[in-house]
Amino acid sequence: MTLPQSEETAVTPAVAAHGRAGLLRRLLRNPVAVTCLVLLALISLASLCAPLLTSQDPAHTSLTESLAPMSGKHPLGGDGVGRDVLARLLYGGRTSLLGALLAVAVAVVIGVPAGLVAGYYRKWFDAVSSWVSNLLMAVPAIIVLLVVMSAVGQNTYLAMAVFGVLMSPGVFRLIRASVISVREELYVDAARVSGLSDARIIRRHILPVVQAPTIIQAAQMLGLGIVIQSGLEFLGLGSATQASWGSMLNDAFANIYNKPELMVWPGVALAVTVAAFGLLGNALRDALDGTATRGRKPRGTTPRKPVAVKHSAPPEATDALLALEGLTVSYPTAEGEKTVVEGVSLTVRRGEVLGLVGESGSGKSQTAFAVLGLLPPEASVSTRQLVFDGTELGNLGRAEMNRYRGRRIAYVPQEPMSNLDPSFRIGAQLVEPVRRHLKLSGAEAKAKTLALLERVGIADPERVFNSYPHQISGGMAQRVLIAGAVSCEPDLLIADEPTTALDVTVQAEVLDLIRSLQRERNMGVILVTHDFGVVADICDRVTVMQTGTVVESAPVRELFAGPRHPYTRMLLASTLEDAEPRSPLSRIVPASIAGVTDPAVITNSVHQEGPA
Amino acid sequence: MTATMNGTPRKDVPAEPLLAVDDLVVEYPAKGWRRPPFRVLKGVSITIGAGETLGLVGESGSGKTTLGRAVLGLAPVASGTVHYAGKVISGLGAKERRALSSDIQVVFQDPYTSLNPAMTVNDILSEPLRVAGTPRAEAEKRVRDLLDQVRLPADAGERLPREFSGGQRQRIAIARALSRDPRVIVCDEPVSALDLSTQARVLDLFVEIQERTGVAYLFVTHDLSVVRHISHRVAVMRGGEIVETGDAATVTTTPQHPYTKRLLLAAPVPDPARQAERRAERQRLAAAMAADARTNTPAIASTSGDRA
Amino acid sequence: MIVFLVRRIAAGLVLVLVIATTTFALMGLTGSDPVRQIVGQTATRQQVTAKSAELGLDQPFVVRYGHWLADAVHGNLGSSWFSGESVTTSLENKLPVTLSIVLAALLLSAVLSTVLGVAAAVRRGALDQVVQLLAVLGFAVPSFLVALVFAVVIGVDLGWLPATGYVPFADSASGWLKSITLPALSLSVGAIAATAQQVRGSMVDVLRADYVRTLRSRGISERSLLFRHALRNAAPAALTVLALQFIGLVGGAVVVEKVFGLNGIGSEATSAGSQGDTPVVMGVVVVMVALVVVVNILMDLAYGWLNPKVRVG
């Protein structure tokens, strides 16, 4: 048996660099990150080389040089007790950086292993460690440090080690949450089935995932450590002999009326260092997000433009409920404008069900959203005409469009559960548009909504009306969404894969419901689907789309009886209904026709993921 | 690969099945204190012979995925047994279970989360081999062989999963499952996330591999047409129980159990005329069942669980 | 809901107890000799022993803790080793100061972070940049530094608002407001920055959610979409961050009180801490942790009210 060499088995050249190396490179491309790294390097270097940069002793007091002005001997002047400000600034950097490093080291050493064990094994250790972590987080850190310092003595490094313990819950929670989410990934199950031991799974699959967030957290904790430490020293808690930025501020505060500029040097050093750590953490996160989203981006391949074939003449524009002509949708991407829909035209008559069929990446959902005016703001949309019942919709403003949306053009989404507002009762969500469009009173709107819920086959409308979305099943939620769509008696219903997320028995019932509502109200319907069974069940006419263009439009029986376009033929041949069991299917599927360059990366939920 | 089983697998069940699940009960602990555990499988029995495909079909919440996971040792078995090659494999310790990894493998539904995004395809495919102690050079050779078996180019090994489409990723997952010549592969909805034309090509690959290597499949899916296409025998699940088992052609064309009938009639066929007939028949059956339910109460409940 | 509340209160009491015990143990194990500090270096042995007996320090640790706990349950937190003043009375006098600035800071944080976060999420562009910048500044500049700058610039140089001192609300409402404005503002900068960032993030996520698109498809007004639906769904995450920030506010009060010369619990904590005045330290710790517990329970209630999944099954 031979399989055709299809696009399925041909791999397009690699564009993305390997994981971590790529992350570093992206980080270094970010000017903010580079600036922060340079600043931090300079600050570390300066405090490290303090003895080389100044000959002054930071602890040497001299009453004659109290509040001395800037001079050759004291480039930044003297402080309240005549110590050299520059020397204190440089040596103070040591205290701050070392103290912060110590705190972060303690936090990581406690937080990472505890988080790994709690997240991976759960059970009693998770319960106990989570309890302890919540406890530690509920106590103001500075109070604990006050107690510790008054009990054990004024040692800055000891205080920072204790602060590390107090910060460890942050690390613990982060690691635990990432481990729990990774543990539920199927690739960890697959590794287990492959015979990997727990230790090996943690090392190979879990540690790499928690590495990056830990580094980000560490950068921010370094900043936090410096802040807390200087706060303590500012309060006068900390070793009196050791120079530090906090104690410099304390001294400046004492002389605030005599020489307020003493505040500037330690203040700036503190703010710049902490800001650099914070910004570096942000830049790391951005770089990481960049690598994560990268995989979703389609490669800059130009789709071949299939040539459309037509069966019967297009319906007269005069009896059209909706006439769409020359729709083009594109998104800006890193590789330039990416067109996802190009020159699509379609017509829907009153009382007609039009099936919009295609595989993922065909642009069928984008077309539907364009009609509704619901594409994300970054999409650029153009049409030759978009006429609904005699009105051009293409150039309506948002407020004007809102008079059509919901009132005359309605929408049924694909995923029932994610399309209901989780914070509001079902009733409130359904009543709001009814009141707005039909200008009904609250009681009238409620009565109408309850009747609707009953109409869509919900046995106990009153209970569902008062329920929150998470309290009802998916099939019930889809009925609710259909009720919401038809509540203002629209003329056109746009349903985007309305049954794809449902079980097959529920799907049949929902299709029955859409059909009966459509007949009852003589609505026009655009039904977006990838399933030819659904098309055969409910549609009057079919438009087949491939990579953003229409390849074929025909009445439903005509299309199934004699598909003209090779792509349509290929799709129909891929259905399993009439195939001989276990016989090769691809022989009759000349994949070269498919022309779908990378079907899986261009998902049909472009809207949710931003520009595809 | 040492292909031993060739020719079409037999339709009659061998006397000694390769894999036998007997009266299996799986329970998950319920949230909250002292609540009774949630019973997902309520005494399920199936057998799979060498080189055979058992299609396991059901709607969401039927327990079909859990049954697959129980065979893989990923679900908590409360009672009942799973036999593999005559030995009990349910309730094994972690170490004994790991020893089975060369015999029982898996292909999951979601090709996006079943491959570690940070590992290259080479690393993904060689991991099971390295665990088994295969020397590096030999593992590398085996990986090239595996890529060839699933019709991916040899240079695919250097890439990361995200550079592949859904269908290609599923091929990588299949290659990983094949790496240590397993005798059983649990396939958990392996084509459900794929486009129609991609699905067709991946199904072809499954059939081809089985005919060449004689591996047995436990093929879990919600799609009757997929099950009909790939299976020798079919088991229909509902609410944690098997309602009907039998020859694939029989179960998927002339089912005996009312639920299977309902399932079959609910699946739309891509032919407007035949679909109109099927719909009419479904609605007639539903009406009859509703009437039935009114007269004698303990009939089958009308609405089943939803997938969402 | 009642069960939830009872459980949260019980957990809060446990927290206070654990922290009190730990603090007492730490203070008891102190290396320094508090009695020597109280009576001075020149005191005789007899004086030290007498003082020790007077304070009950000659008794075993467990007995001392038992006494303290028994008294504390009855509202008596003992008296200061140094001044002899009743801790309960002293805290009663100082609590209004700290409460005023901490709660005002919390209120400021909640309001300003919502306004800034929502505006940044909706308008994007320049405003978004401003919020991002503020977030970095709020993180980088510790509250006492902000306080110092405010005190010098607004308090001293410009003289718009008092740089030091606290005016009780009972004396003069406007004086009270003026006296707490700068402390509360400097205290809240960090919390505003962090919470605004979270509000922005969750608003952006919610506005991208499927149900927002579906609501839009029903033609409901943009205002209802933003303030009724989106904000409501973004609020729980922001509230979680705000609750964490509040703990930081309580700690920050210690430092900010020093800058503005406020005689609150924070400055009490600093002086008692440096002296090793165990009864006062214990009182401060218990009151501050209790404050955190109470506010967190209130936030949990608000969270439950906002999030129906917590409230109903």
Side-chain angles (χ1 to χ4, degrees):
Chain A
M1 176 187 137
T2 50
L3 273 145
Q5 178 69 28
S6 65
E7 87 292 335
E8 249 287 286
T9 49
V11 182
T12 36
V15 281
H18 201 299
R20 217 154 302 132
L23 182 69
L24 189 66
R25 211 171 307 149
R26 293 172 66 84
L27 191 66
L28 292 180
R29 238 181 277 146
N30 182 345
V32 176
V34 175
T35 315
C36 292
L37 283 171
V38 169
L39 275 174
L40 290 173
L42 284 177
I43 293 167
S44 315
L45 208 66
S47 42
L48 213 65
C49 307
L52 302 177
L53 295 174
T54 175
S55 53
Q56 298 287 330
D57 178 356
H60 179 256
T61 59
S62 154
L63 286 179
T64 51
E65 279 166 340
S66 169
L67 301 181
M70 292 185 188
S71 65
K73 192 180 172 200
H74 300 295
L76 299 179
D79 72 357
V81 288
R83 291 171 298 197
D84 182 64
V85 171
L86 179 65
R88 288 184 68 72
L89 196 64
L90 292 172
Y91 282 96
R94 286 183 166 189
T95 322
S96 291
L97 291 174
L98 282 178
L101 270 176
L102 177 68
V104 170
V106 170
V108 167
V109 165
I110 298 176
V112 171
L116 277 176
V117 175
Y120 193 79
Y121 292 104
R122 313 299 296 271
K123 305 265 170 71
W124 66 268
F125 183 81
D126 188 27
V128 171
S129 51
S130 296
W131 188 81
V132 173
S133 128
N134 286 341
L135 187 125
L136 285 177
M137 285 179 88
V139 197
I142 209 151
I143 299 290
V144 178
L145 294 176
L146 274 175
V147 171
V148 170
M149 288 183 105
S150 69
V152 191
Q154 312 230 327
N155 181 326
T156 305
Y157 292 120
L158 178 79
M160 291 318 283
V162 173
F163 186 60
V165 176
L166 294 176
M167 285 199 298
S168 64
V171 183
F172 167 80
R173 282 168 40 132
L174 178 80
I175 299 290
R176 178 179 169 273
S178 344
V179 172
I180 287 173
S181 73
V182 177
R183 217 179 73 117
E184 271 153 29
E185 295 280 351
L186 286 173
Y187 64 77
V188 173
D189 280 340
R192 203 165 289 149
V193 173
S194 294
L196 269 72
S197 62
D198 282 349
R200 202 162 174 142
I201 288 176
I202 291 179
R203 202 174 67 233
R204 297 262 299 178
H205 294 280
I206 297 196
L207 271 181
V209 176
V210 300
Q211 237 169 30
T214 310
I215 294 171
I216 295 170
Q217 178 103 343
Q220 284 172 343
M221 286 191 309
L222 280 169
L224 214 60
I226 294 176
V227 166
I228 277 284
Q229 187 193 344
S230 57
L232 285 174
E233 283 151 352
F234 174 72
L235 288 175
L237 301 161
S239 55
T241 49
Q242 210 165 19
S244 71
W245 294 341
S247 59
M248 288 177 79
L249 282 167
N250 187 4
D251 177 70
F253 180 59
N255 296 295
I256 198 159
Y257 294 105
N258 308 325
K259 200 182 175 192
E261 59 268 33
L262 275 178
M263 251 171 57
V264 173
W265 302 110
V268 167
L270 192 60
V272 166
T273 312
V274 179
F277 278 124
L279 285 171
L280 190 64
N282 284 355
L284 265 168
R285 176 169 304 147
D286 289 348
L288 201 70
D289 283 354
T291 45
T293 49
R294 177 136 208 158
R296 293 276 177 104
K297 254 184 221 163
R299 252 153 269 137
T301 42
T302 37
R304 254 168 297 161
K305 285 297 149 248
V307 185
V309 292
K310 284 219 166 79
H311 288 244
S312 35
E316 292 292 309
T318 44
D319 70 330
L321 177 64
L322 178 84
L324 170 67
E325 224 180 277
L327 170 73
T328 298
V329 179
S330 58
Y331 287 92
T333 67
E335 289 97 21
E337 200 78 350
K338 162 101 185 157
T339 305
V340 295
V341 174
E342 191 168 7
V344 163
S345 302
L346 51 85
T347 317
V348 189
R349 280 169 288 195
R350 209 175 278 278
E352 175 187 65
V353 182
L354 173 73
L356 198 54
V357 194
E359 295 189 298
S360 40
S362 63
K364 52 191 195 300
S365 294
Q366 292 289 304
T367 303
F369 287 134
V371 173
L372 285 156
L374 288 180
L375 288 171
E378 59 269 27
S380 53
V381 186
S382 72
T383 51
R384 268 200 302 284
Q385 65 162 358
L386 172 54
V387 175
F388 171 76
D389 201 20
T391 314
E392 171 64 47
L393 299 182
N395 41 26
L396 290 188
R398 188 154 63 184
E400 288 161 311
M401 192 62 200
N402 268 350
R403 260 182 272 132
Y404 284 87
R405 274 201 295 247
R407 174 72 190 87
R408 301 202 56 202
I409 307 178
Y411 162 66
V412 178
Q414 170 173 357
E415 276 292 331
M417 292 320 277
S418 66
N419 277 287
L420 288 166
D421 186 337
S423 297
F424 286 82
R425 291 178 199 274
I426 306 262
Q429 301 187 41
L430 294 182
V431 161
E432 189 177 355
V434 171
R435 291 196 64 176
R436 180 178 161 88
H437 289 302
L438 305 181
K439 311 273 180 281
L440 296 183
S441 72
E444 285 167 334
K446 180 174 180 185
K448 186 175 167 68
T449 304
L450 284 172
L452 254 171
L453 286 174
E454 197 167 359
R455 173 63 190 87
V456 296
I458 287 170
D460 189 354
E462 191 78 41
R463 188 182 65 79
V464 171
F465 188 92
N466 288 315
S467 296
Y468 284 99
H470 71 271
Q471 296 172 306
I472 63 172
S473 72
M476 192 99 83
Q478 193 57 298
R479 287 171 197 275
V480 166
L481 284 161
I482 291 172
V486 301
S487 62
C488 299
E489 279 141 39
D491 302 291
L492 176 65
L493 185 70
I494 297 178
D496 180 22
E497 304 257 13
T499 57
T500 306
L502 305 175
D503 266 334
V504 61
T505 47
V506 183
Q507 160 171 295
E509 289 163 13
V510 167
L511 288 176
D512 283 350
L513 172 65
I514 293 178
R515 182 186 302 102
S516 76
L517 283 169
Q518 181 263 332
R519 296 215 173 124
E520 184 181 294
R521 296 161 186 228
N522 198 30
M523 283 187 297
V525 175
I526 298 178
L527 190 102
V528 176
T529 183
H530 67 281
D531 185 334
F532 278 102
V534 171
V535 172
D537 187 65
I538 198 169
C539 298
D540 300 312
R541 253 172 359 97
V542 191
T543 292
V544 183
M545 287 185 69
Q546 180 193 10
T547 56
T549 51
V550 172
V551 295
E552 183 164 7
S553 276
V556 69
R557 279 171 194 264
E558 222 174 284
L559 185 100
F560 281 100
R564 301 241 181 113
H565 195 278
Y567 179 70
T568 318
R569 280 205 290 275
M570 187 275 294
L571 281 182
L572 282 172
S574 299
T575 60
L576 302 171
E577 279 300 326
D578 298 313
E580 174 66 22
R582 299 180 63 81
S583 67
L585 298 153
S586 333
R587 246 202 318 251
I588 43 171
V589 180
S592 53
I593 294 166
V596 184
T597 44
D598 204 350
V601 287
I602 312 162
T603 65
N604 61 4
S605 50
V606 170
H607 186 92
Q608 295 148 272
E609 298 170 6
Chain B
M1 174 155 297
T2 49
T4 46
M5 294 275 300
N6 54 356
T8 45
R10 309 196 309 271
K11 283 194 169 174
D12 50 325
V13 187
E16 174 73 23
L18 184 61
L19 188 83
V21 174
D22 191 34
D23 200 22
L24 193 72
V25 175
V26 168
E27 288 176 343
Y28 283 99
K31 275 185 187 160
W33 234 348
R34 275 182 276 172
R35 285 217 198 127
F38 182 54
R39 187 169 284 204
V40 186
L41 294 186
K42 304 166 182 167
V44 172
S45 305
I46 52 164
T47 59
I48 305 174
E52 187 188 36
T53 300
L54 175 72
L56 194 59
V57 68
E59 296 189 295
S60 53
S62 62
K64 56 185 192 302
T65 293
T66 307
L67 179 49
R69 291 180 69 86
V71 169
L72 292 165
L74 297 174
V77 171
S79 70
T81 54
V82 181
H83 277 86
Y84 168 75
K87 287 182 310 212
V88 178
I89 61 163
S90 45
L92 289 184
K95 204 166 177 190
E96 292 100 342
R97 182 74 224 185
R98 283 208 288 278
L100 275 172
S101 61
S102 61
D103 292 321
I104 305 178
Q105 271 303 322
V106 66
V107 176
F108 284 115
Q109 164 173 12
D110 189 338
Y112 290 88
T113 62
S114 67
L115 305 174
N116 188 336
M119 284 165 70
T120 64
V121 172
N122 274 340
D123 288 342
I124 291 170
L125 295 184
S126 58
E127 184 167 69
L129 298 166
R130 303 285 297 151
V131 167
T134 315
R136 185 176 297 276
E138 207 174 303
E140 277 169 16
K141 191 168 159 293
R142 177 80 180 126
V143 167
R144 279 198 299 278
D145 177 43
L146 287 167
L147 287 172
D148 187 50
Q149 280 190 50
V150 297
R151 322 248 167 230
L152 286 172
D155 65 342
E158 308 297 320
R159 314 243 154 96
L160 293 170
R162 64 162 177 263
E163 295 171 52
F164 297 88
S165 70
Q168 291 167 336
R169 288 180 200 214
Q170 213 53 315
R171 286 168 192 270
I172 297 167
I174 294 170
R176 173 177 56 194
L178 289 174
S179 62
R180 288 170 64 195
D181 293 321
R183 296 182 66 196
V184 180
I185 299 181
V186 175
C187 309
D188 187 7
E189 303 255 17
V191 294
S192 304
L194 306 179
D195 266 332
L196 204 54
S197 51
T198 313
Q199 164 179 298
R201 282 190 292 274
V202 172
L203 283 177
D204 283 353
L205 181 65
F206 271 113
V207 173
E208 185 216 330
I209 287 169
Q210 185 169 53
E211 290 183 347
R212 195 155 40 80
T213 67
V215 65
Y217 294 142
L218 174 61
F219 205 98
V220 177
T221 178
H222 69 281
D223 190 328
L224 265 180
S225 63
V226 168
V227 123
R228 171 171 40 230
H229 186 78
I230 192 111
S231 311
H232 299 109
R233 285 189 307 124
V234 171
V236 183
M237 281 194 81
R238 185 186 191 206
E241 288 168 71
I242 303 244
V243 297
E244 183 167 3
T245 321
D247 175 71
T250 318
V251 174
T252 57
T253 49
T254 52
Q256 296 306 302
H257 194 277
Y259 174 69
T260 318
K261 275 184 198 163
R262 224 153 61 75
L263 210 56
L264 182 67
L265 289 176
V269 282
D271 178 332
R274 264 164 57 209
Q275 173 56 21
E277 285 167 28
R278 187 176 266 204
R279 183 170 67 227
E281 198 182 333
R282 172 172 58 79
Q283 285 166 345
R284 202 165 38 73
L285 188 76
M289 270 167 55
D292 229 35
R294 271 194 296 277
T295 45
N296 34 6
T297 11
I300 293 136
S302 64
T303 5
S304 64
D306 308 304
R307 275 178 70 202
Chain C
M1 205 66 198
I2 300 289
V3 178
F4 169 78
L5 196 61
V6 168
R7 270 172 53 188
R8 290 293 291 124
I9 291 173
L13 286 176
V14 171
L15 177 71
V16 175
L17 193 68
V18 170
I19 299 294
T21 313
T22 318
T23 309
F24 201 90
L26 266 175
M27 298 299 289
L29 299 172
T30 173
S32 63
D33 184 359
V35 181
R36 183 50 79 177
Q37 274 194 33
I38 300 165
V39 293
Q41 295 302 326
T42 53
T44 59
R45 275 200 74 88
Q46 282 87 339
Q47 283 174 302
V48 173
T49 325
K51 191 73 189 172
S52 200
E54 184 196 324
L55 297 176
L57 283 173
D58 51 347
Q59 288 170 1
F61 170 76
V62 183
V63 176
R64 276 188 282 146
Y65 181 62
H67 282 311
W68 180 85
L69 196 62
D71 285 348
V73 170
H74 294 101
N76 173 15
L77 293 167
S79 44
S80 163
W81 285 348
F82 290 82
S83 67
E85 197 186 348
S86 154
V87 176
T88 315
T89 321
S90 134
L91 288 180
E92 266 168 15
N93 294 333
K94 288 168 180 172
L95 191 60
V97 182
T98 306
L99 267 187
S100 297
I101 62 165
V102 167
L103 293 183
L106 181 65
L107 191 72
L108 265 176
S109 311
V111 173
L112 286 181
S113 63
T114 308
V115 172
L116 285 172
V118 170
V122 176
R123 289 277 149 81
R124 298 296 185 84
L127 197 63
D128 204 5
Q129 303 287 321
V130 170
V131 171
Q132 305 281 357
L133 189 74
L134 189 89
V136 173
L137 282 179
F139 173 76
V141 187
S143 54
F144 69 90
L145 204 55
V146 179
L148 278 173
V149 173
F150 279 1
V152 171
V153 178
I154 302 177
V156 178
D157 288 358
L158 298 172
W160 290 348
L161 288 163
T164 52
Y166 172 77
V167 179
F169 185 78
D171 292 4
S172 153
S174 66
W176 170 79
L177 196 63
K178 277 184 193 154
S179 70
I180 65 161
T181 301
L182 283 185
L185 205 59
S186 35
L187 194 53
S188 62
V189 170
I192 293 172
T195 318
Q197 184 85 325
Q198 177 63 50
V199 171
R200 178 196 167 275
S202 359
M203 277 300 278
V204 167
D205 286 348
V206 170
L207 287 173
R208 263 194 230 133
D210 284 355
Y211 59 82
V212 167
R213 181 174 56 196
T214 299
L215 286 167
R216 206 168 256 150
S217 83
R218 305 224 178 104
I220 69 164
S221 70
E222 210 56 26
R223 188 191 308 168
S224 165
L225 203 63
L226 268 185
F227 296 105
R228 212 167 105 89
H229 294 279
L231 189 56
R232 171 76 177 263
N233 282 289
L239 204 59
T240 308
V241 171
L242 193 62
L244 275 177
Q245 289 297 323
F246 178 72
I247 299 167
L249 288 184
V250 172
V254 176
V255 195
V256 168
E257 279 177 11
K258 172 175 166 146
V259 175
F260 290 100
L262 299 175
N263 199 5
I265 292 185
S267 37
E268 182 89 344
T270 318
S271 58
S274 50
Q275 287 176 315
D277 193 343
T278 304
V280 181
V281 170
M282 289 300 293
V284 168
V285 166
V286 167
V287 168
M288 287 220 167
V289 175
L291 181 62
V292 169
V293 166
V294 169
V295 170
N296 269 344
I297 289 176
L298 292 178
M299 295 241 189
D300 276 351
L301 288 178
Y303 188 91
W305 176 75
L306 284 168
N307 191 343
K309 273 188 198 159
V310 177
R311 191 161 17 120
V312 281

